[in-house]
Amino acid sequence: MIKDKTTRLICQIRGVVQGVGFRPFVYRQAVELEICGQVLNNPAGVIVEAESDRQTLELFLNRLRTEAPPSARIFSLEFSFHQSVGYSDFQICRSDDSGKKMFTLLSDIATCPDCLAEIQDPSERRFAYPFTNCTQCGPRFTIMTDIPYDRPNTSMKGFSLCADCAAEYENPQDRRFHAQPLACARCGPQLTYLLQSGEAVDCPDPLARAVEDILAGAIVAVKGLGGFHLIADARNRKALERLRRLKTREYKPFAVMFPDIAMVQKHCFVNASEEILLTGAEAPIVLLEKRVDSDLPDVIAPGNPSLGCMLPYTPLHFLMLAKLGIPVVATSGNLVDEPMCTDEGEAVHRLAFADTLLVHDRPIVRHADDSVVRVVDDQIQILRRARGYAPLPFLAGARKLPRMLATGADIKNTIAISHDNSIVMSQHIGDLEAPEAFDAFQRVITDFKKLFSWAPDMVATDMHPSYFSHRYAHAFAKEANIPLIEVQHHHAHMAACMFENNLEDEVLAVTWDGTGYGTDGTVWGGEFLKGSYATCERVAHLLPFGLAGADAAVREPRRSALGVISETQLDSRESICLQEMFTPDELQGMQSMLATGMHTARTTSAGRFFDAVSAISGICRKSTFEGQAAMMLQHAAGGQLGAPYPFEVFEVEGKSVIDWRPAIASIAQEKDARIVARRFHATLVEMIRVVAAAVGCSQIVLSGGVFQNALLLGQTRRALLNDGFEVYSHQRIPPNDGGIALGQILVAAHQKVRG
Ligand SMILES: [Zn+2]
Ligand SMILES: [Zn+2]
């Protein structure tokens, strides 16, 4: 049988995979499945490239995970799908031994099948013990206080091993030989149940109490692996409505934890790749398409056709969900986008609105939020890189990087550090505007210096002068007396996307997002950049418009609407739409702001352009979280495109400006919001096609938060591939500002080389 080798899988496997017969094992599987490609050792573990059809590759992936040689241990298996390059056979290649291993610290690993079987077996001494782990699984990054990774350098140091555990630790034949966090009910961490006041409840089985309360409608704060979750019955509309009120979180979707994969499948569609992600060692939240017959209430993710799903990833979660037998909402225990709360003393204050708290006495050394992943059009997209992925390094190929700290962007912040040929991205930190997040940002930088025994020789940061991360970087560089390079926001997006796709030559980057400081001091966000790592040129952009109240427009899509309508100079008919959105006084105030430029920003932001159309069509006029208006506009399209609206392109100083005013004039007359949504998405795809054809660069990268929009991403990819371009997007690095820090490192490193 000839296989249709259209897809290439790239898979980086970490763990004990060298010198244990892993490469011959991969080879045998590949040959059996008639897969072409190669396998080689690299400093991070083993890297596999495999070409076949999608289905065979997914089967192959599953075999790599489940049929590995007995002495191999897989701690992480990261994969992405690409265009095939035409391998003609399968080979075991010479190892790539460039680079050192010093930058590899382990991420936390979901409970392994052996440990799961043990905690369910009444004859085992770890039956029902919520802190069971082994060398194959358990906490790592979240319990390390220092290197090397030995028990005294973890938050388990306060627990001395009982005789049975000590014997396991010493026995080379045992599954727990040198398992640093091993423990049992006799010698390890214990659960406690707390009242809202912080007072401990005297009860023999805190877990059973928590389960009882959750079933009765309570909101319970549960201390997990990388922080606290607020947990409530996912079927209980009243409890969830109360949770929304208490968290002042009106619409932003909640994640759901299910007892097992079968129950996920009852409520959502799960394809093979999604199942591999859900059940993998990283155990992220996977965004899945909800089934229409799912009876979970809409309040979990209002108006959203997808649902963020995860499976239990610690014995504690597993035991709890098994007892509950129902899905629960598990949302991070915080108010805004700040890091997860990690300490019970802090939790009693920060999560004072929880009814009760289920806590334990194993300290969490550093926060790690749940990672968020999805599959779009047969590609992987990591939207939030945190637990399970951080702080695994990215290898930078043949590059030799300076020791650099990159402070990222202010929204969805992560930081990154580099050394030699690795780049380590931190776990997701949050929006630095929140004091807790800014504290965590500083803590993570100090933490990374210590954990990696590393200090920077230079600093890279965003150009935005009022970013917290920017000001911090300047102070840091001054104090350490080291050079600093400012990197333009969208150039960093572009570099991050080039990097993960191994691109070196010139590309056209479509970088569309909400806000990024431009080299001309205006707010960019609908950009087409041509160039490479060291330099790039802005070759095209959306026509700018005014934002009355500048930053206030993020929460009020109607302000973006006013901006584009004013630019379009529509007649009286369209002013009806403005009268619906504003009181006469408001309208007058904002129009005069636009006229005078006072408290007004000029922007080319594609994110705000989405907001404008969302508001004009009446889909969303007030936004309760970043990206809500755009998300609702996408959902309104129902996965389909319509005919594109008209637009024009004109030249200003050698740059193409996309004039969207004809489109807005049509949209203002459209009655049906669903049609607006479909035609608007098609218009954006068409704009990208037109610019791509005019620029004529064969490689196109798509980056920026706007490409979290699966409809836009999928349709743009398809259209550009059809037009004969090579199209690259993000799979392992977030397309949003979570990927900025890594991009900053690459741009700054290349600029340094060029002097
Ligand atoms: Zn285990
Ligand atoms: Zn013990």
Side-chain angles (χ1 to χ4, degrees):
M1 185 178 64
I2 306 276
K3 298 244 159 106
D4 172 23
K5 296 186 169 54
T6 50
T7 306
R8 180 169 47 122
L9 164 78
I10 301 181
C11 176
Q12 170 77 63
I13 303 167
R14 292 182 167 88
V16 183
V17 286
Q18 296 187 359
V20 292
F22 199 81
R23 286 179 302 164
F25 154 72
V26 174
Y27 177 84
R28 283 193 303 274
Q29 296 300 330
V31 170
E32 202 180 305
L33 294 170
E34 296 173 45
I35 284 171
C36 294
Q38 61 174 35
V39 55
L40 72 159
N41 286 341
N42 75 353
V46 163
I47 188 153
V48 183
E49 291 209 26
E51 292 189 354
S52 187
D53 61 274
R54 172 83 179 192
Q55 214 178 351
T56 309
L57 291 174
E58 286 170 336
L59 184 64
F60 176 65
L61 256 182
N62 245 331
R63 289 199 188 173
L64 295 188
R65 300 197 308 163
T66 55
E67 294 175 22
S71 42
R73 285 201 293 273
I74 297 177
F75 295 154
S76 133
L77 184 150
E78 258 196 87
F79 61 100
S80 50
F81 292 105
H82 307 262
Q83 289 285 107
S84 60
V85 291
Y87 282 104
S88 56
D89 57 1
F90 198 91
Q91 291 194 358
I92 298 181
C93 292
R94 252 194 65 214
S95 295
D96 163 18
D97 46 15
S98 60
K100 303 183 182 103
K101 291 186 181 183
M102 59 167 290
F103 259 42
T104 299
L105 290 185
L106 289 175
S107 52
D108 300 298
I109 308 163
T111 313
C112 73
D114 289 343
C115 286
L116 280 185
E118 228 175 313
I119 61 172
Q120 292 174 88
D121 181 351
S123 71
E124 288 285 348
R125 66 185 196 90
R126 288 190 179 83
F127 175 61
Y129 181 57
F131 302 95
T132 301
N133 60 74
C134 70
T135 46
Q136 188 94 258
C137 73
R140 302 284 187 270
F141 185 50
T142 53
I143 59 165
M144 287 171 70
T145 50
D146 209 343
I147 46 169
Y149 173 63
D150 288 327
R151 192 170 173 104
N153 288 335
T154 69
S155 63
M156 287 299 291
K157 76 165 178 222
F159 300 92
S160 13
L161 294 176
C162 69
D164 288 343
C165 285
E168 291 168 339
Y169 186 85
E170 303 292 343
N171 177 6
Q173 308 311 322
D174 197 278
R175 214 172 88 239
R176 297 198 168 84
F177 176 56
H178 280 213
Q180 304 306 339
L182 96 162
C184 74
R186 224 176 321 144
C187 65
Q190 303 293 338
L191 293 172
T192 311
Y193 205 47
L194 305 179
L195 297 176
Q196 201 172 42
S197 61
E199 189 192 326
V201 180
D202 186 19
C203 67
D205 190 346
L207 185 65
R209 256 307 274 284
V211 165
E212 228 172 84
D213 287 350
I214 292 166
L215 289 173
I219 296 166
V220 180
V222 178
K223 182 180 175 184
L225 188 62
F228 275 79
H229 278 128
L230 293 168
I231 291 191
D233 183 346
R235 307 161 314 168
N236 187 329
R237 185 186 310 272
K238 277 217 172 74
L240 300 181
E241 281 167 356
R242 191 161 69 92
L243 180 57
R244 287 214 175 273
R245 270 200 311 281
L246 294 170
K247 268 192 85 165
T248 49
R249 177 159 158 162
E250 258 177 279
Y251 289 106
K252 200 170 177 183
F254 286 143
V256 180
M257 191 183 272
F258 290 85
D260 52 42
I261 185 89
M263 204 181 289
V264 180
Q265 285 160 335
K266 247 182 74 186
H267 293 278
C268 297
F269 296 97
V270 186
N271 68 29
S273 293
E274 289 162 342
E275 183 168 344
I276 292 171
L277 288 165
L278 276 168
T279 56
E282 298 84 2
I285 295 170
V286 183
L287 302 183
L288 299 172
E289 188 190 339
K290 201 167 145 184
R291 288 180 184 274
V292 272
D293 60 352
S294 163
D295 54 4
L296 291 175
D298 191 55
V299 58
I300 296 174
N304 201 321
S306 59
L307 198 62
C309 303
M310 63 180 147
L311 291 173
Y313 51 83
T314 72
L316 171 61
H317 293 116
F318 181 85
L319 293 166
M320 183 190 308
L321 271 288
K323 261 191 184 131
L324 282 162
I326 53 158
V328 291
V329 155
T331 181
S332 60
N334 50 20
L335 289 175
V336 285
D337 196 6
E338 55 192 31
M340 273 178 137
C341 177
T342 53
D343 171 87
E344 37 284 10
E346 191 192 348
V348 169
H349 300 290
R350 262 174 77 188
L351 311 178
F353 48 82
D355 297 315
T356 52
L357 300 91
L358 181 66
V359 303
H360 57 75
D361 53 355
R362 183 180 74 201
I364 298 174
V365 175
R366 62 186 60 74
H367 82 274
D369 290 76
D370 296 317
S371 295
V372 183
V373 185
R374 69 172 169 191
V375 178
V376 184
D377 261 14
D378 293 350
Q379 290 207 322
I380 312 300
Q381 198 181 44
I382 298 189
L383 299 169
R384 182 162 78 200
R385 242 186 117 86
R387 179 185 49 75
Y389 296 98
L392 298 173
F394 287 89
L395 294 174
R399 286 184 187 82
K400 182 141 175 39
L401 297 167
R403 288 201 283 196
M404 197 182 333
L405 163 70
T407 60
D410 268 17
I411 296 182
K412 295 188 167 62
N413 177 270
T414 61
I415 63 130
I417 65 171
S418 62
H419 179 62
D420 202 27
N421 79 333
S422 11
I423 304 176
V424 181
M425 245 173 84
S426 75
Q427 70 273 42
H428 166 85
I429 295 172
D431 294 353
L432 300 189
E433 207 175 59
E436 277 86 357
F438 188 62
D439 286 349
F441 162 83
Q442 299 180 66
R443 221 165 36 233
V444 169
I445 292 172
T446 311
D447 190 31
F448 269 41
K449 283 164 67 183
K450 182 179 170 198
L451 271 186
F452 292 96
S453 319
W454 166 99
D457 295 328
M458 62 186 288
V459 182
T461 193
D462 196 276
M463 281 180 172
H464 203 311
S466 48
Y467 265 2
F468 290 97
S469 54
H470 173 101
R471 289 191 224 141
Y472 177 91
H474 275 271
F476 186 101
K478 195 171 167 203
E479 163 106 27
N481 195 23
I482 53 176
L484 175 142
I485 292 183
E486 293 186 356
V487 178
Q488 201 279 321
H489 190 89
H490 302 96
H491 193 191
H493 272 308
M494 163 177 153
C497 195
M498 287 178 70
F499 172 74
E500 75 161 299
N501 288 292
N502 282 317
L503 303 177
E504 295 295 335
D505 303 332
E506 189 174 72
V507 302
L508 172 67
V510 187
T511 54
W512 284 10
D513 66 357
T515 304
Y517 192 81
T519 52
D520 60 0
T522 69
V523 182
W524 290 8
E527 313 309 310
F528 294 81
L529 308 176
K530 186 176 151 193
S532 188
Y533 293 106
T535 56
C536 70
E537 185 197 348
R538 187 191 197 198
V539 290
H541 57 81
L542 296 179
L543 178 76
F545 56 94
L547 285 177
D551 287 344
V554 176
R555 286 175 300 277
E556 292 185 38
R558 59 180 189 159
R559 291 179 191 249
S560 296
L562 175 62
V564 303
I565 287 175
S566 304
E567 208 68 39
T568 311
Q569 294 182 333
L570 295 172
D571 56 26
S572 58
R573 196 174 48 239
E574 286 74 31
S575 64
I576 294 170
C577 151
L578 291 177
Q579 282 157 20
E580 282 169 16
M581 289 189 267
F582 299 95
T583 65
D585 284 354
E586 282 175 340
L587 189 59
Q588 201 189 4
M590 287 193 210
Q591 278 171 333
S592 85
M593 273 154 104
L594 285 177
T596 59
M598 283 279 280
H599 305 297
T600 294
R602 297 285 295 170
T603 187
T604 55
S605 165
R608 295 296 85 79
F609 190 48
F610 258 96
D611 287 356
V613 173
S614 197
I616 294 169
S617 61
I619 289 172
C620 178
R621 286 176 175 168
K622 197 163 185 282
S623 172
T624 61
F625 63 91
E626 199 226 349
Q628 182 186 353
M631 196 187 269
M632 289 172 75
L633 185 59
Q634 180 203 329
H635 294 157
Q640 289 182 37
L641 297 189
Y645 288 116
F647 63 92
E648 280 159 26
V649 178
F650 60 84
E651 300 285 312
V652 177
E653 294 163 2
K655 293 180 196 358
S656 304
V657 178
I658 303 170
D659 185 352
W660 35 257
R661 287 175 295 190
I664 292 299
S666 306
I667 288 169
Q669 292 176 40
E670 194 96 70
K671 298 253 178 327
D672 187 339
R674 200 179 42 190
I675 290 176
V676 172
R678 289 177 179 169
R679 296 191 65 185
F680 175 66
H681 280 84
T683 312
L684 298 178
V685 173
E686 199 54 28
M687 287 171 175
I688 294 172
R689 283 187 66 207
V690 166
V691 173
V695 173
C697 227
S698 63
Q699 304 187 118
I700 299 183
V701 306
L702 308 174
S703 186
V706 166
F707 288 104
Q708 297 175 111
N709 179 325
L711 177 61
L712 180 69
L713 175 63
Q715 297 290 348
T716 304
R717 277 183 59 86
R718 236 167 282 159
L720 292 173
L721 287 170
N722 250 329
D723 291 350
F725 294 101
E726 295 163 40
V727 189
Y728 302 94
S729 51
H730 288 281
Q731 297 195 61
R732 297 173 59 200
I733 299 168
N736 56 49
D737 284 3
I740 288 285
L742 185 137
Q744 288 171 343
I745 294 227
L746 290 153
V747 173
H750 282 83
Q751 288 181 347
K752 182 174 176 263
V753 171
R754 285 168 53 114

